[in-house]
Amino acid sequence: MHPAYSVILFTTASGAGYGLLALLGLVGFNHGPASSLWFGLAALVIALCLISLGLLSSTFHLGRPERAWRAFSQWRSSWLSREGIASVITFAPALLFGALWLGFIDGPQWIGLAGLVTAAMCAVTVFCTAKIYSTLTTIRQWHQKLTVPVYLAFALSTGAVLLMAIASVFGRYQTFQAGLAMVTLLLTLVLKYLYWRQIDAEPRDRTIEAATGLARTGEKVRQWEVPHTAENFIMKEMGYVVARKHAEKLRRIVMILLLAAALATVLTVLVSALVVPLSLVAFLLAAAAAAVERWLFLPKPSMSSRSTTAPNGLNS
């Protein structure tokens, strides 16, 4: 496979970061000031570092990174531009929330509002990221109703498991954190399974008529000329054909990793003496599941612009 590794790192790391940051905002909304300065500071720094790491890695995907600022100007029509703007805007309420939550700014009455706005902006940013793919009608594996829910679920579940791991390290572990992590992990597993079932049940070929929206009229569309004279970056990075046996194996790996992460989370409740290592293992398993899922999701579209179609036809 030849997926765009920077995009996989971006969506995986920033997803966990936004999930963790959103949950911290909701914690502040419900409980007010952080119960521990060092726990709150560590969790906030880790969330912002993961988000920053993801955003920085995405710039390496650009041929001319110095022109990345131009992407912000197309917000009226581009989900990529909206995602970039939302990601930058999110830092403002997040930093304000962190300062209020940790007591660096005296204003406990504003913690709830700042936390709620931060959580909402995190959800908006991940939503915009998912819409980049789900709105591409030429790629049926991405143009699905479950693409956005799966993105949101992975962000929430990896963030929840990471919150549990950080809390356990700083002696702030609570059973509720394990319950939230387990529920979100299982929700993610179900949504991804349903997504795979959905794309497997659909016709494998994406026609030009379907891509242009003219299939319902029964009209035939004839290309004046092909849209490219050589392989473009989409075909190189996103259009790599995955063999059927490899795709099936990767699907099983994702499901096993998510189940193993959920099992490790349950064990944190049952084996209190091993809360810290089990929580860390649960996060590593969940992060690995997210990375493999994204590795399988991104490089395997079949596009109507391709001159040839995937021989095996199995979808990610």
Side-chain angles (χ1 to χ4, degrees), residues 270-305:
L270 302 177
V271 189
S272 58
L274 298 176
V275 164
V276 175
L278 287 171
S279 298
L280 294 174
V281 168
F283 170 67
L284 293 176
L285 290 170
V292 175
E293 183 272 340
R294 214 48 53 85
W295 193 52
L296 185 57
F297 174 77
L298 290 172
K300 176 52 185 75
S302 59
M303 291 164 283
S304 57
S305 62

PDB file of all heavy atoms in Angstrom, residues 270-305:
ATOM      1  N   LEU A 270     -11.873  -4.268  37.294  1.00  0.00           N
ATOM      2  CA  LEU A 270     -11.822  -5.511  38.063  1.00  0.00           C
ATOM      3  C   LEU A 270     -10.499  -5.708  38.786  1.00  0.00           C
ATOM      4  O   LEU A 270     -10.463  -6.333  39.851  1.00  0.00           O
ATOM      5  CB  LEU A 270     -12.073  -6.699  37.116  1.00  0.00           C
ATOM      6  CG  LEU A 270     -13.403  -6.673  36.354  1.00  0.00           C
ATOM      7  CD1 LEU A 270     -13.485  -7.852  35.399  1.00  0.00           C
ATOM      8  CD2 LEU A 270     -14.572  -6.677  37.319  1.00  0.00           C
ATOM      9  N   VAL A 271      -9.413  -5.219  38.215  1.00  0.00           N
ATOM     10  CA  VAL A 271      -8.076  -5.417  38.808  1.00  0.00           C
ATOM     11  C   VAL A 271      -7.509  -4.043  39.142  1.00  0.00           C
ATOM     12  O   VAL A 271      -6.756  -3.454  38.354  1.00  0.00           O
ATOM     13  CB  VAL A 271      -7.141  -6.177  37.837  1.00  0.00           C
ATOM     14  CG1 VAL A 271      -5.844  -6.560  38.553  1.00  0.00           C
ATOM     15  CG2 VAL A 271      -7.838  -7.405  37.273  1.00  0.00           C
ATOM     16  N   SER A 272      -7.840  -3.559  40.305  1.00  0.00           N
ATOM     17  CA  SER A 272      -7.463  -2.186  40.679  1.00  0.00           C
ATOM     18  C   SER A 272      -5.949  -2.019  40.816  1.00  0.00           C
ATOM     19  O   SER A 272      -5.430  -0.911  40.609  1.00  0.00           O
ATOM     20  CB  SER A 272      -8.146  -1.806  41.995  1.00  0.00           C
ATOM     21  OG  SER A 272      -7.789  -2.716  43.026  1.00  0.00           O
ATOM     22  N   ALA A 273      -5.237  -3.098  41.128  1.00  0.00           N
ATOM     23  CA  ALA A 273      -3.786  -2.986  41.307  1.00  0.00           C
ATOM     24  C   ALA A 273      -3.068  -2.738  39.976  1.00  0.00           C
ATOM     25  O   ALA A 273      -1.918  -2.295  39.980  1.00  0.00           O
ATOM     26  CB  ALA A 273      -3.242  -4.264  41.958  1.00  0.00           C
ATOM     27  N   LEU A 274      -3.729  -3.031  38.870  1.00  0.00           N
ATOM     28  CA  LEU A 274      -3.091  -2.881  37.552  1.00  0.00           C
ATOM     29  C   LEU A 274      -3.775  -1.795  36.710  1.00  0.00           C
ATOM     30  O   LEU A 274      -3.761  -1.849  35.489  1.00  0.00           O
ATOM     31  CB  LEU A 274      -3.137  -4.214  36.800  1.00  0.00           C
ATOM     32  CG  LEU A 274      -2.393  -5.378  37.452  1.00  0.00           C
ATOM     33  CD1 LEU A 274      -2.592  -6.650  36.650  1.00  0.00           C
ATOM     34  CD2 LEU A 274      -0.896  -5.062  37.574  1.00  0.00           C
ATOM     35  N   VAL A 275      -4.341  -0.817  37.392  1.00  0.00           N
ATOM     36  CA  VAL A 275      -5.085   0.216  36.666  1.00  0.00           C
ATOM     37  C   VAL A 275      -4.192   0.977  35.690  1.00  0.00           C
ATOM     38  O   VAL A 275      -4.552   1.195  34.528  1.00  0.00           O
ATOM     39  CB  VAL A 275      -5.739   1.194  37.664  1.00  0.00           C
ATOM     40  CG1 VAL A 275      -6.174   2.467  36.944  1.00  0.00           C
ATOM     41  CG2 VAL A 275      -6.948   0.552  38.315  1.00  0.00           C
ATOM     42  N   VAL A 276      -3.020   1.380  36.148  1.00  0.00           N
ATOM     43  CA  VAL A 276      -2.147   2.194  35.294  1.00  0.00           C
ATOM     44  C   VAL A 276      -1.682   1.422  34.053  1.00  0.00           C
ATOM     45  O   VAL A 276      -1.885   1.901  32.925  1.00  0.00           O
ATOM     46  CB  VAL A 276      -0.938   2.726  36.093  1.00  0.00           C
ATOM     47  CG1 VAL A 276       0.033   3.460  35.167  1.00  0.00           C
ATOM     48  CG2 VAL A 276      -1.416   3.664  37.198  1.00  0.00           C
ATOM     49  N   PRO A 277      -1.061   0.246  34.190  1.00  0.00           N
ATOM     50  CA  PRO A 277      -0.629  -0.452  32.964  1.00  0.00           C
ATOM     51  C   PRO A 277      -1.782  -0.855  32.062  1.00  0.00           C
ATOM     52  O   PRO A 277      -1.667  -0.777  30.834  1.00  0.00           O
ATOM     53  CB  PRO A 277       0.122  -1.683  33.501  1.00  0.00           C
ATOM     54  CG  PRO A 277      -0.325  -1.840  34.905  1.00  0.00           C
ATOM     55  CD  PRO A 277      -0.636  -0.480  35.406  1.00  0.00           C
ATOM     56  N   LEU A 278      -2.900  -1.274  32.655  1.00  0.00           N
ATOM     57  CA  LEU A 278      -4.045  -1.667  31.820  1.00  0.00           C
ATOM     58  C   LEU A 278      -4.620  -0.463  31.064  1.00  0.00           C
ATOM     59  O   LEU A 278      -5.025  -0.590  29.897  1.00  0.00           O
ATOM     60  CB  LEU A 278      -5.128  -2.309  32.689  1.00  0.00           C
ATOM     61  CG  LEU A 278      -4.831  -3.720  33.193  1.00  0.00           C
ATOM     62  CD1 LEU A 278      -5.874  -4.159  34.204  1.00  0.00           C
ATOM     63  CD2 LEU A 278      -4.768  -4.708  32.026  1.00  0.00           C
ATOM     64  N   SER A 279      -4.653   0.691  31.708  1.00  0.00           N
ATOM     65  CA  SER A 279      -5.158   1.889  31.034  1.00  0.00           C
ATOM     66  C   SER A 279      -4.255   2.294  29.875  1.00  0.00           C
ATOM     67  O   SER A 279      -4.736   2.671  28.794  1.00  0.00           O
ATOM     68  CB  SER A 279      -5.263   3.048  32.029  1.00  0.00           C
ATOM     69  OG  SER A 279      -6.173   2.756  33.048  1.00  0.00           O
ATOM     70  N   LEU A 280      -2.952   2.209  30.109  1.00  0.00           N
ATOM     71  CA  LEU A 280      -2.010   2.550  29.042  1.00  0.00           C
ATOM     72  C   LEU A 280      -2.121   1.562  27.877  1.00  0.00           C
ATOM     73  O   LEU A 280      -2.064   1.955  26.706  1.00  0.00           O
ATOM     74  CB  LEU A 280      -0.588   2.573  29.596  1.00  0.00           C
ATOM     75  CG  LEU A 280      -0.302   3.679  30.626  1.00  0.00           C
ATOM     76  CD1 LEU A 280       1.103   3.523  31.211  1.00  0.00           C
ATOM     77  CD2 LEU A 280      -0.457   5.061  29.998  1.00  0.00           C
ATOM     78  N   VAL A 281      -2.257   0.280  28.219  1.00  0.00           N
ATOM     79  CA  VAL A 281      -2.422  -0.734  27.165  1.00  0.00           C
ATOM     80  C   VAL A 281      -3.707  -0.481  26.375  1.00  0.00           C
ATOM     81  O   VAL A 281      -3.734  -0.586  25.138  1.00  0.00           O
ATOM     82  CB  VAL A 281      -2.437  -2.147  27.788  1.00  0.00           C
ATOM     83  CG1 VAL A 281      -2.902  -3.189  26.765  1.00  0.00           C
ATOM     84  CG2 VAL A 281      -1.054  -2.512  28.299  1.00  0.00           C
ATOM     85  N   ALA A 282      -4.768  -0.143  27.081  1.00  0.00           N
ATOM     86  CA  ALA A 282      -6.042   0.130  26.403  1.00  0.00           C
ATOM     87  C   ALA A 282      -5.894   1.288  25.424  1.00  0.00           C
ATOM     88  O   ALA A 282      -6.418   1.236  24.299  1.00  0.00           O
ATOM     89  CB  ALA A 282      -7.119   0.452  27.440  1.00  0.00           C
ATOM     90  N   PHE A 283      -5.186   2.330  25.826  1.00  0.00           N
ATOM     91  CA  PHE A 283      -5.002   3.458  24.905  1.00  0.00           C
ATOM     92  C   PHE A 283      -4.165   3.064  23.694  1.00  0.00           C
ATOM     93  O   PHE A 283      -4.483   3.433  22.561  1.00  0.00           O
ATOM     94  CB  PHE A 283      -4.331   4.632  25.623  1.00  0.00           C
ATOM     95  CG  PHE A 283      -3.895   5.712  24.670  1.00  0.00           C
ATOM     96  CD1 PHE A 283      -4.829   6.453  23.970  1.00  0.00           C
ATOM     97  CD2 PHE A 283      -2.545   5.943  24.436  1.00  0.00           C
ATOM     98  CE1 PHE A 283      -4.430   7.428  23.061  1.00  0.00           C
ATOM     99  CE2 PHE A 283      -2.142   6.915  23.531  1.00  0.00           C
ATOM    100  CZ  PHE A 283      -3.085   7.656  22.838  1.00  0.00           C
ATOM    101  N   LEU A 284      -3.082   2.320  23.923  1.00  0.00           N
ATOM    102  CA  LEU A 284      -2.235   1.909  22.802  1.00  0.00           C
ATOM    103  C   LEU A 284      -3.019   1.040  21.812  1.00  0.00           C
ATOM    104  O   LEU A 284      -2.866   1.177  20.587  1.00  0.00           O
ATOM    105  CB  LEU A 284      -1.013   1.145  23.324  1.00  0.00           C
ATOM    106  CG  LEU A 284      -0.015   1.981  24.133  1.00  0.00           C
ATOM    107  CD1 LEU A 284       1.106   1.099  24.678  1.00  0.00           C
ATOM    108  CD2 LEU A 284       0.570   3.105  23.282  1.00  0.00           C
ATOM    109  N   LEU A 285      -3.868   0.162  22.331  1.00  0.00           N
ATOM    110  CA  LEU A 285      -4.683  -0.687  21.455  1.00  0.00           C
ATOM    111  C   LEU A 285      -5.695   0.152  20.660  1.00  0.00           C
ATOM    112  O   LEU A 285      -5.884  -0.069  19.463  1.00  0.00           O
ATOM    113  CB  LEU A 285      -5.421  -1.734  22.294  1.00  0.00           C
ATOM    114  CG  LEU A 285      -4.542  -2.824  22.919  1.00  0.00           C
ATOM    115  CD1 LEU A 285      -5.353  -3.632  23.918  1.00  0.00           C
ATOM    116  CD2 LEU A 285      -3.973  -3.737  21.839  1.00  0.00           C
ATOM    117  N   ALA A 286      -6.325   1.102  21.332  1.00  0.00           N
ATOM    118  CA  ALA A 286      -7.297   1.951  20.645  1.00  0.00           C
ATOM    119  C   ALA A 286      -6.626   2.825  19.588  1.00  0.00           C
ATOM    120  O   ALA A 286      -7.163   3.013  18.487  1.00  0.00           O
ATOM    121  CB  ALA A 286      -8.028   2.827  21.664  1.00  0.00           C
ATOM    122  N   ALA A 287      -5.448   3.368  19.921  1.00  0.00           N
ATOM    123  CA  ALA A 287      -4.721   4.194  18.953  1.00  0.00           C
ATOM    124  C   ALA A 287      -4.284   3.358  17.750  1.00  0.00           C
ATOM    125  O   ALA A 287      -4.349   3.829  16.600  1.00  0.00           O
ATOM    126  CB  ALA A 287      -3.513   4.841  19.624  1.00  0.00           C
ATOM    127  N   ALA A 288      -3.842   2.130  18.010  1.00  0.00           N
ATOM    128  CA  ALA A 288      -3.444   1.250  16.911  1.00  0.00           C
ATOM    129  C   ALA A 288      -4.647   0.924  16.025  1.00  0.00           C
ATOM    130  O   ALA A 288      -4.534   0.887  14.792  1.00  0.00           O
ATOM    131  CB  ALA A 288      -2.836  -0.035  17.471  1.00  0.00           C
ATOM    132  N   ALA A 289      -5.798   0.694  16.640  1.00  0.00           N
ATOM    133  CA  ALA A 289      -7.014   0.424  15.857  1.00  0.00           C
ATOM    134  C   ALA A 289      -7.372   1.614  14.977  1.00  0.00           C
ATOM    135  O   ALA A 289      -7.731   1.448  13.807  1.00  0.00           O
ATOM    136  CB  ALA A 289      -8.175   0.105  16.801  1.00  0.00           C
ATOM    137  N   ALA A 290      -7.252   2.820  15.530  1.00  0.00           N
ATOM    138  CA  ALA A 290      -7.569   4.020  14.747  1.00  0.00           C
ATOM    139  C   ALA A 290      -6.599   4.181  13.578  1.00  0.00           C
ATOM    140  O   ALA A 290      -7.007   4.528  12.464  1.00  0.00           O
ATOM    141  CB  ALA A 290      -7.518   5.251  15.651  1.00  0.00           C
ATOM    142  N   ALA A 291      -5.320   3.913  13.819  1.00  0.00           N
ATOM    143  CA  ALA A 291      -4.321   4.065  12.758  1.00  0.00           C
ATOM    144  C   ALA A 291      -4.544   3.042  11.636  1.00  0.00           C
ATOM    145  O   ALA A 291      -4.484   3.384  10.451  1.00  0.00           O
ATOM    146  CB  ALA A 291      -2.921   3.925  13.336  1.00  0.00           C
ATOM    147  N   VAL A 292      -4.821   1.797  12.012  1.00  0.00           N
ATOM    148  CA  VAL A 292      -5.051   0.757  10.996  1.00  0.00           C
ATOM    149  C   VAL A 292      -6.332   1.052  10.214  1.00  0.00           C
ATOM    150  O   VAL A 292      -6.385   0.908   8.990  1.00  0.00           O
ATOM    151  CB  VAL A 292      -5.126  -0.635  11.654  1.00  0.00           C
ATOM    152  CG1 VAL A 292      -5.495  -1.693  10.619  1.00  0.00           C
ATOM    153  CG2 VAL A 292      -3.800  -0.986  12.314  1.00  0.00           C
ATOM    154  N   GLU A 293      -7.371   1.469  10.950  1.00  0.00           N
ATOM    155  CA  GLU A 293      -8.637   1.795  10.270  1.00  0.00           C
ATOM    156  C   GLU A 293      -8.452   2.923   9.274  1.00  0.00           C
ATOM    157  O   GLU A 293      -8.970   2.882   8.155  1.00  0.00           O
ATOM    158  CB  GLU A 293      -9.675   2.192  11.328  1.00  0.00           C
ATOM    159  CG  GLU A 293     -11.056   2.480  10.768  1.00  0.00           C
ATOM    160  CD  GLU A 293     -11.240   3.927  10.326  1.00  0.00           C
ATOM    161  OE1 GLU A 293     -10.450   4.788  10.786  1.00  0.00           O
ATOM    162  OE2 GLU A 293     -12.125   4.212   9.525  1.00  0.00           O
ATOM    163  N   ARG A 294      -7.690   3.940   9.667  1.00  0.00           N
ATOM    164  CA  ARG A 294      -7.459   5.071   8.773  1.00  0.00           C
ATOM    165  C   ARG A 294      -6.570   4.656   7.613  1.00  0.00           C
ATOM    166  O   ARG A 294      -6.730   5.108   6.479  1.00  0.00           O
ATOM    167  CB  ARG A 294      -6.828   6.212   9.572  1.00  0.00           C
ATOM    168  CG  ARG A 294      -7.212   7.619   9.167  1.00  0.00           C
ATOM    169  CD  ARG A 294      -8.689   7.835   8.992  1.00  0.00           C
ATOM    170  NE  ARG A 294      -9.520   7.449  10.118  1.00  0.00           N
ATOM    171  CZ  ARG A 294      -9.782   8.209  11.161  1.00  0.00           C
ATOM    172  NH1 ARG A 294      -9.264   9.403  11.236  1.00  0.00           N
ATOM    173  NH2 ARG A 294     -10.580   7.797  12.130  1.00  0.00           N
ATOM    174  N   TRP A 295      -5.626   3.782   7.859  1.00  0.00           N
ATOM    175  CA  TRP A 295      -4.749   3.268   6.807  1.00  0.00           C
ATOM    176  C   TRP A 295      -5.550   2.490   5.775  1.00  0.00           C
ATOM    177  O   TRP A 295      -5.258   2.512   4.579  1.00  0.00           O
ATOM    178  CB  TRP A 295      -3.683   2.370   7.447  1.00  0.00           C
ATOM    179  CG  TRP A 295      -2.548   2.021   6.545  1.00  0.00           C
ATOM    180  CD1 TRP A 295      -1.785   2.884   5.821  1.00  0.00           C
ATOM    181  CD2 TRP A 295      -2.048   0.715   6.294  1.00  0.00           C
ATOM    182  NE1 TRP A 295      -0.819   2.180   5.131  1.00  0.00           N
ATOM    183  CE2 TRP A 295      -0.955   0.854   5.404  1.00  0.00           C
ATOM    184  CE3 TRP A 295      -2.386  -0.565   6.752  1.00  0.00           C
ATOM    185  CZ2 TRP A 295      -0.220  -0.238   4.961  1.00  0.00           C
ATOM    186  CZ3 TRP A 295      -1.646  -1.649   6.308  1.00  0.00           C
ATOM    187  CH2 TRP A 295      -0.580  -1.469   5.415  1.00  0.00           C
ATOM    188  N   LEU A 296      -6.583   1.803   6.244  1.00  0.00           N
ATOM    189  CA  LEU A 296      -7.434   1.048   5.337  1.00  0.00           C
ATOM    190  C   LEU A 296      -8.451   1.948   4.650  1.00  0.00           C
ATOM    191  O   LEU A 296      -8.818   1.716   3.502  1.00  0.00           O
ATOM    192  CB  LEU A 296      -8.173  -0.041   6.133  1.00  0.00           C
ATOM    193  CG  LEU A 296      -9.039  -1.027   5.350  1.00  0.00           C
ATOM    194  CD1 LEU A 296      -8.218  -1.752   4.299  1.00  0.00           C
ATOM    195  CD2 LEU A 296      -9.670  -2.019   6.309  1.00  0.00           C
ATOM    196  N   PHE A 297      -8.919   2.968   5.334  1.00  0.00           N
ATOM    197  CA  PHE A 297      -9.967   3.844   4.796  1.00  0.00           C
ATOM    198  C   PHE A 297      -9.436   4.773   3.698  1.00  0.00           C
ATOM    199  O   PHE A 297     -10.068   4.935   2.661  1.00  0.00           O
ATOM    200  CB  PHE A 297     -10.556   4.685   5.932  1.00  0.00           C
ATOM    201  CG  PHE A 297     -11.540   5.730   5.480  1.00  0.00           C
ATOM    202  CD1 PHE A 297     -12.841   5.380   5.137  1.00  0.00           C
ATOM    203  CD2 PHE A 297     -11.172   7.066   5.385  1.00  0.00           C
ATOM    204  CE1 PHE A 297     -13.751   6.333   4.719  1.00  0.00           C
ATOM    205  CE2 PHE A 297     -12.073   8.031   4.968  1.00  0.00           C
ATOM    206  CZ  PHE A 297     -13.369   7.663   4.635  1.00  0.00           C
ATOM    207  N   LEU A 298      -8.271   5.362   3.943  1.00  0.00           N
ATOM    208  CA  LEU A 298      -7.791   6.412   3.045  1.00  0.00           C
ATOM    209  C   LEU A 298      -7.267   5.930   1.692  1.00  0.00           C
ATOM    210  O   LEU A 298      -7.551   6.555   0.679  1.00  0.00           O
ATOM    211  CB  LEU A 298      -6.716   7.234   3.746  1.00  0.00           C
ATOM    212  CG  LEU A 298      -7.234   8.106   4.890  1.00  0.00           C
ATOM    213  CD1 LEU A 298      -6.072   8.725   5.643  1.00  0.00           C
ATOM    214  CD2 LEU A 298      -8.161   9.186   4.361  1.00  0.00           C
ATOM    215  N   PRO A 299      -6.506   4.837   1.649  1.00  0.00           N
ATOM    216  CA  PRO A 299      -5.874   4.543   0.356  1.00  0.00           C
ATOM    217  C   PRO A 299      -6.668   3.671  -0.578  1.00  0.00           C
ATOM    218  O   PRO A 299      -6.152   3.224  -1.576  1.00  0.00           O
ATOM    219  CB  PRO A 299      -4.593   3.833   0.778  1.00  0.00           C
ATOM    220  CG  PRO A 299      -4.982   3.071   1.980  1.00  0.00           C
ATOM    221  CD  PRO A 299      -6.024   3.917   2.668  1.00  0.00           C
ATOM    222  N   LYS A 300      -7.937   3.367  -0.275  1.00  0.00           N
ATOM    223  CA  LYS A 300      -8.630   2.401  -1.100  1.00  0.00           C
ATOM    224  C   LYS A 300      -9.962   2.898  -1.667  1.00  0.00           C
ATOM    225  O   LYS A 300     -10.978   2.277  -1.505  1.00  0.00           O
ATOM    226  CB  LYS A 300      -8.863   1.113  -0.295  1.00  0.00           C
ATOM    227  CG  LYS A 300      -9.666   0.018  -1.006  1.00  0.00           C
ATOM    228  CD  LYS A 300      -9.102  -0.297  -2.382  1.00  0.00           C
ATOM    229  CE  LYS A 300      -9.978  -1.284  -3.105  1.00  0.00           C
ATOM    230  NZ  LYS A 300     -11.178  -0.636  -3.576  1.00  0.00           N
ATOM    231  N   PRO A 301     -10.009   4.032  -2.311  1.00  0.00           N
ATOM    232  CA  PRO A 301     -11.234   4.359  -3.020  1.00  0.00           C
ATOM    233  C   PRO A 301     -11.205   3.808  -4.436  1.00  0.00           C
ATOM    234  O   PRO A 301     -10.142   3.633  -5.022  1.00  0.00           O
ATOM    235  CB  PRO A 301     -11.217   5.879  -3.041  1.00  0.00           C
ATOM    236  CG  PRO A 301      -9.771   6.204  -3.138  1.00  0.00           C
ATOM    237  CD  PRO A 301      -9.032   5.092  -2.422  1.00  0.00           C
ATOM    238  N   SER A 302     -12.369   3.554  -5.001  1.00  0.00           N
ATOM    239  CA  SER A 302     -12.439   3.291  -6.438  1.00  0.00           C
ATOM    240  C   SER A 302     -13.170   4.471  -7.037  1.00  0.00           C
ATOM    241  O   SER A 302     -14.287   4.784  -6.647  1.00  0.00           O
ATOM    242  CB  SER A 302     -13.193   1.981  -6.713  1.00  0.00           C
ATOM    243  OG  SER A 302     -14.496   2.043  -6.187  1.00  0.00           O
ATOM    244  N   MET A 303     -12.547   5.169  -7.941  1.00  0.00           N
ATOM    245  CA  MET A 303     -13.067   6.441  -8.422  1.00  0.00           C
ATOM    246  C   MET A 303     -13.548   6.334  -9.858  1.00  0.00           C
ATOM    247  O   MET A 303     -12.991   5.595 -10.660  1.00  0.00           O
ATOM    248  CB  MET A 303     -11.984   7.513  -8.333  1.00  0.00           C
ATOM    249  CG  MET A 303     -11.643   7.877  -6.893  1.00  0.00           C
ATOM    250  SD  MET A 303     -10.098   8.773  -6.807  1.00  0.00           S
ATOM    251  CE  MET A 303      -8.922   7.458  -6.999  1.00  0.00           C
ATOM    252  N   SER A 304     -14.547   7.127 -10.168  1.00  0.00           N
ATOM    253  CA  SER A 304     -15.042   7.133 -11.540  1.00  0.00           C
ATOM    254  C   SER A 304     -14.039   7.770 -12.486  1.00  0.00           C
ATOM    255  O   SER A 304     -14.158   7.642 -13.685  1.00  0.00           O
ATOM    256  CB  SER A 304     -16.355   7.904 -11.603  1.00  0.00           C
ATOM    257  OG  SER A 304     -16.179   9.219 -11.107  1.00  0.00           O
ATOM    258  N   SER A 305     -13.032   8.494 -11.934  1.00  0.00           N
ATOM    259  CA  SER A 305     -12.040   9.125 -12.787  1.00  0.00           C
ATOM    260  C   SER A 305     -10.902   8.186 -13.142  1.00  0.00           C
ATOM    261  O   SER A 305     -10.072   8.502 -13.967  1.00  0.00           O
ATOM    262  CB  SER A 305     -11.447  10.356 -12.086  1.00  0.00           C
ATOM    263  OG  SER A 305     -10.784   9.967 -10.905  1.00  0.00           O
TER     264      SER A 305
END
